[in-house]
Amino acid sequence: MKKTKIIATIGPSSDSPQVFAKLVDAGVNIVRLNFSHGGYEVQQNRINMIKRYRDETKKPIGILLDTKGPEIRTKTFKGGEATLVQGAQFILTTRDVDGTNQMCSITYDGLPNDVKAGDKILLNDGVILLEVVCVDDTEIVCTVIIGGVARDRKLVSVPNILTTLPVITERDIQDIEFGIKEGVDFISISFVRSAQSIKVVKQILQDKGAEHIKVIAKIQCSNAIEKLDEIIDAADGVIVARGTLGVEVPIAKMPRLQREIVSRCNRSGKPVIVSTHIIESMINNPLPTRAEAIDISNSINDGADAVMLSGETATGKYPVEAVKMTSSIAIETEETRDYQALLEAHRKHKGNKPADIVAYGACRAADDLAVSAIICPTNTGFTAGVVSKFTPQAPIYALVYDDRVQRTANLFSGVEPIMFEQRNEIMPLIKDSIETLKELGKIKVGDTVLMTFGIPYSNRQTTNTMKIHIVE
C-alpha cells in the first residue's frame, strides 16, 4: 500500500462527485477546503459531497479546513494590474484608492506603525521588492528595488518584521465555528507566528466541545522559524507552506529549512505535510517536470508524512492525473527506501518516554522478524502515530472504534486506520484484532504479526505492551 498520504485541495476542477471519486481512487486520503476562496454555501456543498461519498464507500476521507489567516494583501488596481519600474517611488496606503503604478491600497491599517525606513516589503508573492523610505499615519513611501507587475489582491510580505496583526482574525473564528458545526477533522492555522495562535484555536475548540479536531500549524513566515519548537509542541501537526515561506526567506535556504522542519516534526512524533509547488506544472500539462518528480521523492525521503496538492487539483486541467502521478512517485520512492537505516537513524531521537521506547522496540522487532503487519488497537490514534514516527517497513493497521479517530489517524505515514468494535478485555482484543484483519485480507494464516497497545487498554496514550503473534 502507499504509505505517504496525499491531501488534495477541492475546487472547481474537482468538486463534482464523479471527479472526486476518481481522486480518492487515485490515492487521495484527506481533502483540503481553502477558506481563502469560496463562501459558506460553496464549502457546505463540498462538505456534503464528501460526507455522501464517505457514507457510500466507508472510506475514511478526512476534511481539512484551511483558514485564511491574518494576512496582508494589496487591494485593486485600475485594469487589474500596474507595472512598477525599478528606482521609481511607490506608495502603499491604508486609504482606499484605485491602484496605479505610483500607489495602491493595502488591507492592513496597522502596517505604517509596524515598518520604518530601510525595511523591505515584498509584493505579488515576492516578485516585487520595495524599500521603505519614510512613513506617516496612512502611507508608506517606498523605492522600487526590483520591479514587476503588481496585481489585485496579491500577498504583501514584510520579512523579519513582527507585525501587530491579530493571531486569529474574526473571520477565522467564524470559519472555525462553521467547521466545528460541519464536523471537519483538521483545522490548519495560516500565518502562525508563535504557539499563541495554536493555543487560541485549541481553546475555541475546547469551549465548543470539539477537542477531537486536530490543529495544524502552517509554517509560512520567517517569524515562525524563530519559534518553531514551541509551535511544533503546541500543534497536532505542521504544514511546510513553501510558497509563502519561500517569499520571506532566501530561496537558497528553502531546501535546508524544509529538511529541518520535517526532521523536528519527525523527532516530536507530529505529522508533517509538505505543500506548494508539489507538481504544479500539471495544472496545465498532463505530465510533471523531472524536477517535480524528484522533489516529491526527496520530500518523502526527508520524512514527510503527506504531500498537499493545491492548484493541481483545485483549478488544474488534470486533477486526477496529478494525484495518480503523485501516488506512483510515492510508491516508487517507498519501495526503495532503506528502512533499516531509517530505524537506526531514529534510535538516537527515541527519547525516554515509555511509549517511544516500546514503539521503537516494536519497530525493531518487526524489522528483525520481517513481520507482515504491525497492529495497533488504539482509542485515540496515539499508538499508531508513535509507531509511524519510526518509519517501519511493515504496514501499520490502526484499529479504532471512533470514525473521527479513523480519519485523523489517516494522516500518519504508513498507517491504515480500520474501524473495530471496542474491546475492554485484552485477550478478546488480541483475538478479534487478528480475526478482523484476516477477514479483510490484510493478513493470512502463517503470517507473523506484531501487536502493540496500552494496558489498561481503556487508558489513553499509554502504549506499554507489544506481542508477537503467529496467525492461525
Side-chain angles (χ1 to χ4, degrees):
M1 73 178 193
K2 172 175 66 66
K3 294 176 180 292
T4 305
K5 303 308 171 77
I6 297 176
I7 302 173
T9 303
I10 300 300
S13 294
S14 51
D15 61 2
S16 71
Q18 295 78 15
V19 174
F20 179 75
K22 291 178 180 178
L23 289 180
V24 177
D25 289 342
V28 166
N29 305 98
I30 295 167
V31 294
R32 168 185 177 240
L33 301 178
N34 184 358
F35 271 60
S36 293
H37 306 287
Y40 289 133
E41 183 177 355
V42 170
Q43 304 294 9
Q44 178 80 70
N45 290 336
R46 291 169 178 166
I47 290 171
N48 290 343
M49 176 193 70
I50 296 162
K51 288 180 176 178
R52 284 195 299 270
Y53 178 86
R54 287 197 313 221
D55 289 343
E56 292 168 2
T57 65
K58 307 304 179 186
K59 293 182 178 180
I61 306 302
I63 299 174
L64 184 150
L65 186 160
D66 194 353
T67 61
K68 183 177 182 181
E71 62 185 9
I72 310 170
R73 290 189 179 267
T74 58
K75 292 187 180 179
T76 57
F77 291 84
K78 292 178 181 177
E81 62 181 40
T83 300
L84 278 55
V85 178
Q86 182 178 354
Q89 177 178 284
F90 188 73
I91 298 172
L92 301 173
T93 180
T94 60
R95 297 182 292 111
D96 281 326
V97 301
D98 290 327
T100 67
N101 62 356
Q102 297 177 327
M103 174 184 288
C104 80
S105 299
I106 55 174
T107 58
Y108 171 44
D109 291 344
L111 191 58
N113 297 319
D114 294 337
V115 298
K116 63 184 183 305
D119 286 343
K120 302 295 192 297
I121 298 177
L122 296 160
L123 304 183
N124 212 24
D125 299 330
V127 172
I128 296 168
L129 174 62
L130 309 177
E131 182 174 318
V132 178
V133 176
C134 60
V135 182
D136 64 21
D137 290 343
T138 61
E139 297 185 351
I140 304 167
V141 180
C142 304
T143 298
V144 179
I145 305 300
I146 300 175
V149 179
R151 295 187 171 89
D152 292 349
R153 302 181 183 89
K154 287 295 185 178
L155 191 67
V156 178
S157 297
V158 283
N160 303 310
I161 295 171
L162 190 61
T163 69
T164 53
L165 283 162
V167 293
I168 298 293
T169 68
E170 286 300 319
R171 172 173 170 174
D172 290 338
I173 293 172
Q174 293 171 8
D175 292 346
I176 290 167
E177 290 176 345
F178 174 83
I180 294 170
K181 179 173 70 73
E182 293 303 321
V184 303
D185 304 292
F186 308 89
I187 293 173
S188 65
I189 308 304
S190 297
F191 297 98
V192 168
R193 304 192 295 277
S194 70
Q196 184 61 26
S197 304
I198 309 302
K199 293 174 182 176
V200 168
V201 173
K202 287 196 169 186
Q203 187 62 55
I204 293 171
L205 296 176
Q206 182 178 333
D207 292 344
K208 299 288 184 179
E211 298 97 325
H212 60 279
I213 297 176
K214 303 301 182 184
V215 180
I216 310 296
K218 288 179 75 175
I219 306 300
Q220 57 190 140
C221 58
S222 55
N223 299 130
I225 300 300
E226 298 170 6
K227 302 287 185 68
L228 186 58
D229 286 334
E230 70 171 53
I231 290 170
I232 292 172
D233 287 344
D236 298 309
V238 163
I239 295 174
V240 186
R242 304 186 299 183
T244 41
L245 183 59
V247 170
E248 293 223 352
V249 302
I251 290 177
K253 292 186 178 182
M254 280 302 300
R256 177 183 63 79
L257 278 176
Q258 175 174 313
R259 286 193 298 272
E260 183 178 337
I261 296 167
V262 170
S263 177
R264 290 200 205 179
C265 290
N266 290 164
R267 293 199 297 268
S268 298
K270 301 291 178 75
V272 57
I273 303 156
V274 172
S275 75
T276 321
H277 305 148
I278 296 298
I279 201 161
E280 190 173 35
S281 67
M282 288 192 72
I283 292 175
N284 295 306
N285 301 305
L287 290 172
T289 67
R290 275 64 176 168
E292 287 170 332
I294 293 168
D295 178 44
I296 293 171
S297 182
N298 285 341
S299 295
I300 294 168
N301 281 325
D302 285 344
D305 289 88
V307 293
M308 186 162 77
L309 306 180
S310 300
E312 300 95 332
T313 53
T315 58
K317 295 178 181 178
Y318 304 98
V320 176
E321 291 81 356
V323 175
K324 286 181 178 178
M325 182 58 68
T326 305
S327 291
S328 64
I329 295 167
I331 291 169
E332 181 69 23
T333 301
E334 293 157 3
E335 287 177 349
T336 56
R337 298 183 83 182
D338 186 341
Y339 290 93
Q340 289 184 333
L342 286 170
L343 187 58
E344 182 60 28
H346 287 312
R347 182 175 62 84
K348 61 184 176 182
H349 299 305
K350 70 178 184 295
N352 57 7
K353 295 179 181 178
D356 278 359
I357 293 170
V358 170
Y360 176 80
C363 291
R364 174 63 72 187
D367 182 71
D368 290 343
L369 294 168
V371 303
S372 300
I374 298 174
I375 305 169
C376 303
T378 176
N379 291 307
T380 63
F382 173 79
T383 297
V386 76
V387 171
S388 171
K389 166 181 175 177
F390 296 109
T391 325
Q393 185 168 9
I396 304 164
Y397 296 115
L399 301 183
V400 303
Y401 65 87
D402 186 329
D403 59 355
R404 299 174 302 183
V405 174
Q406 185 187 27
R407 294 191 295 271
T408 54
N410 206 18
L411 178 56
F412 289 105
S413 174
V415 173
E416 182 177 348
I418 295 169
M419 289 298 292
F420 179 74
E421 187 176 338
Q422 186 175 19
R423 309 289 194 280
N424 293 320
E425 299 291 332
I426 293 301
M427 294 313 294
L429 174 72
I430 294 171
K431 177 178 179 295
D432 293 346
S433 296
I434 298 296
E435 290 303 316
T436 296
L437 292 175
K438 280 172 60 180
E439 290 171 7
L440 293 171
K442 305 295 183 182
I443 57 176
K444 63 184 185 301
V445 173
D447 282 352
T448 301
V449 300
L450 188 148
M451 297 186 69
T452 183
F453 46 85
I455 297 177
Y457 178 61
S458 57
N459 287 5
R460 293 171 176 251
Q461 300 191 1
T462 55
T463 306
N464 57 18
T465 304
M466 73 171 179
K467 180 183 186 300
I468 298 163
H469 188 91
I470 307 297
V471 180
E472 298 176 346

